Amino acid sequence: NKLPSKRLFQILIVAALAVNLGLLVLYYLPAPKQLIGDETYYFGLASAIAAGQPVQHDPVWPPLYGEVMGMLFAAVGLRILAVQLVQIGLWLATGYFLFRITERLVGRTVVAYVALALYLFSPELMAFSHYLWPETLHLFLMMGGLWLLICHGDRWWAAVAGGVLFGLALLTKSLLLFALPILLLFFVMVQVDGSRLRSRAIRAALVAVASLVTVVAVLATSMQGRGEPSIAGSAVFNAWVGLNDIAQVDYQDSNAGRKHLRFIAAGPDQATRNAVYGKKIGAFLNEQGLASILARQAGKQYFRLFDVNTFLTTQLPGGPRAAYTFQAPLLVVLLRIYSAVFQGVILVAGAIGMASLRARPLSWLHFFLAFILYNLAILLVLHVTTRYMLQLLPMWIVFAAVGFYGGFGWLHSHQLPVVSG
């Protein structure tokens, strides 16, 4: 399991960075890629912040990403490239976190390098380091917090810093909210440093308090402005859209924007809109029946999530969301093949890795599995695009690396290794 770590690590970083920057060149040639979806909201919000104008955050979206981009624009001007360069740095740092986490949990350096390679050469993760969406920042904050707890969880400062990062992650994307209590439970129950249960419980409390302190100002502002303490109020709206999505792919029958305008028109504030649409959802459940709805949702939601036509490939020239402007048909075909093969390999290897996880002893790998299942559960109802795969992709990649290791073990000994974490 011992590998020439520094040299191999450097080779992977340089090679992946070259591919990433090559994709970034395509973003700008011969003209910059068009902004789509939420990118237009974030760019407009950040531009107003940079100009010192009073801004009103849409309560559907958490506020941090727009604020961070606004501060960056205020410092360097309205240069999207500056945001992209920062995000590429965050993408690399997240790869380091993932490498160290995998090395700590699996105990096999070769598996950690496989995880790092899968992460760095994911075309979707590279592409999102160029897009004006909060995914790259959110993954950096979430995985940074996990790195602190898993690799340095015996230190009180790591618990506090991890809590701050989780709080900031919540201010970037709110889907982490209900997974945080599960994370704290695992932090208490999983013994990785020989510490006593009481000591781990105290550090878990530090994580919780630090997270709460980080978000309390936003909660107070929300209470004053919307009458409810929340970071973002998108759950009811996304549930309504998800229940009414018809297509098995996220780029057909895409009318979330129009539905959002109708949602805004339903009331003067978020609490009223949520109440109106909560009643609509209740009536929809009574009319259709819970069993019928769940069966229909299961038949489309996961096709939308795992679709081979990803957020990157659908934006390539000729795609249903065509936003890139370069004209190179052969390159488009190669990128589509690369993305499709990569996604298929990740999904299959990840499933093998999950199947090889022992039930005992309890480990952080069990939290990773629980986090994946948590996301799959909420996405059974919420509006789904392939973009939502990114939040659980680092955890899936860890299991994919384990799956690769197990596959090579089977080829060598015809016995699939099991991993306990």
Side-chain angles (χ1 to χ4, degrees):
N1 292 321
K2 292 296 182 182
L3 295 173
S5 56
K6 179 179 283 190
R7 185 67 177 273
L8 182 56
F9 193 91
Q10 291 172 344
I11 290 173
L12 286 174
I13 292 293
V14 170
L17 189 57
V19 178
N20 187 307
L21 294 178
L23 196 59
L24 182 61
V25 169
L26 296 179
Y27 186 102
Y28 284 99
L29 292 180
K33 185 187 81 68
Q34 300 171 14
L35 301 181
I36 67 168
D38 294 358
E39 287 185 300
T40 57
Y41 165 76
Y42 284 117
F43 183 80
L45 179 68
S47 300
I49 292 172
Q53 300 172 0
V55 298
Q56 183 68 41
H57 288 273
D58 191 312
V60 167
W61 289 280
L64 183 62
Y65 185 65
E67 291 287 342
V68 170
M69 198 189 330
M71 289 188 290
L72 189 57
F73 280 172
V76 302
L78 301 183
R79 294 181 174 88
I80 292 177
L81 181 60
V83 178
Q84 294 168 326
L85 294 177
V86 170
Q87 290 186 162
I88 289 172
L90 298 181
W91 163 73
L92 289 173
T94 306
Y96 173 81
F97 297 149
L98 185 68
F99 174 81
R100 291 302 181 195
I101 288 170
T102 307
E103 188 177 43
R104 180 65 177 266
L105 295 184
V106 182
R108 297 179 176 93
T109 305
V110 63
V111 179
Y113 275 109
V114 172
L116 177 63
L118 292 175
Y119 171 87
L120 289 176
F121 288 95
S122 163
E124 207 71 5
L125 290 171
M126 287 187 199
F128 267 88
S129 70
H130 308 157
Y131 299 162
L132 301 186
W133 296 77
E135 269 68 16
T136 298
L137 176 59
H138 179 261
L139 287 181
F140 167 78
L141 295 169
M142 182 178 71
M143 297 305 294
L146 284 171
W147 169 68
L148 286 169
L149 297 195
I150 293 171
C151 298
H152 304 281
D154 57 335
R155 311 291 179 86
W156 68 267
W157 62 263
V160 173
V164 171
L165 290 181
F166 290 133
L168 293 174
L170 286 171
L171 294 176
T172 308
K173 283 180 68 71
S174 55
L175 281 174
L176 183 63
L177 179 61
F178 295 108
L180 196 54
I182 303 173
L183 184 151
L184 294 176
L185 178 63
F186 271 85
F187 189 42
V188 174
M189 299 303 296
V190 175
Q191 185 175 8
V192 295
D193 54 18
S195 62
R196 294 183 178 180
L197 179 64
R198 180 174 179 272
S199 176
R200 298 198 300 274
I202 291 174
R203 293 197 299 274
L206 288 174
V207 176
V209 170
S211 298
L212 180 59
V213 170
T214 304
V215 303
V216 69
V218 173
L219 294 177
T221 302
S222 170
M223 189 68 187
Q224 292 177 351
R226 303 200 294 265
E228 56 181 11
S230 65
I231 295 171
S234 61
V236 173
F237 169 71
N238 276 327
W240 175 251
V241 176
L243 290 170
N244 286 275
D245 282 331
I246 298 174
Q248 289 187 326
V249 292
D250 63 10
Y251 51 85
Q252 291 180 2
D253 190 29
S254 180
N255 57 4
R258 293 192 298 274
K259 289 180 179 177
H260 179 246
L261 293 176
R262 290 197 290 269
F263 177 78
I264 294 297
D269 54 51
Q270 193 73 0
T272 302
R273 298 165 195 152
N274 284 342
V276 170
Y277 273 76
K279 291 179 180 178
K280 286 189 175 185
I281 291 173
F284 186 79
L285 290 172
N286 289 332
E287 178 185 345
Q288 301 287 330
L290 180 60
S292 174
I293 290 174
L294 290 179
R296 185 172 67 248
Q297 292 294 103
K300 66 180 173 67
Q301 296 292 88
Y302 302 123
F303 286 97
R304 294 171 66 96
L305 181 65
F306 299 125
D307 187 18
V308 70
N309 298 301
T310 67
F311 218 71
L312 165 63
T313 59
T314 55
Q315 292 186 73
L316 294 175
R321 293 189 182 102
Y324 287 88
T325 61
F326 67 90
Q327 297 298 320
L330 179 59
L331 182 57
V332 170
V333 171
L334 292 175
L335 286 172
R336 291 185 189 281
I337 293 173
Y338 174 28
S339 177
V341 171
F342 187 93
Q343 178 158 332
V345 167
I346 287 287
L347 292 178
V348 173
I352 294 173
M354 293 175 209
S356 69
L357 181 63
R358 284 179 175 156
R360 292 287 186 274
L362 190 68
S363 73
W364 277 104
L365 287 176
H366 291 91
F367 168 73
F368 285 11
L369 180 59
F371 184 80
I372 290 172
L373 295 176
Y374 155 75
N375 276 271
L376 295 181
I378 61 175
L379 293 177
L380 181 62
V381 176
L382 299 181
H383 174 60
V384 173
T385 73
T386 57
R387 180 170 61 91
Y388 291 116
M389 184 65 184
L390 268 76
Q391 175 165 285
L392 53 88
L393 192 55
M395 281 77 165
W396 200 291
I397 281 174
V398 172
F399 284 113
V402 171
F404 271 108
Y405 177 81
F408 284 120
W410 184 86
L411 290 174
H412 182 263
S413 62
H414 291 281
Q415 182 176 359
L416 188 65
V418 290
V419 177
S420 58

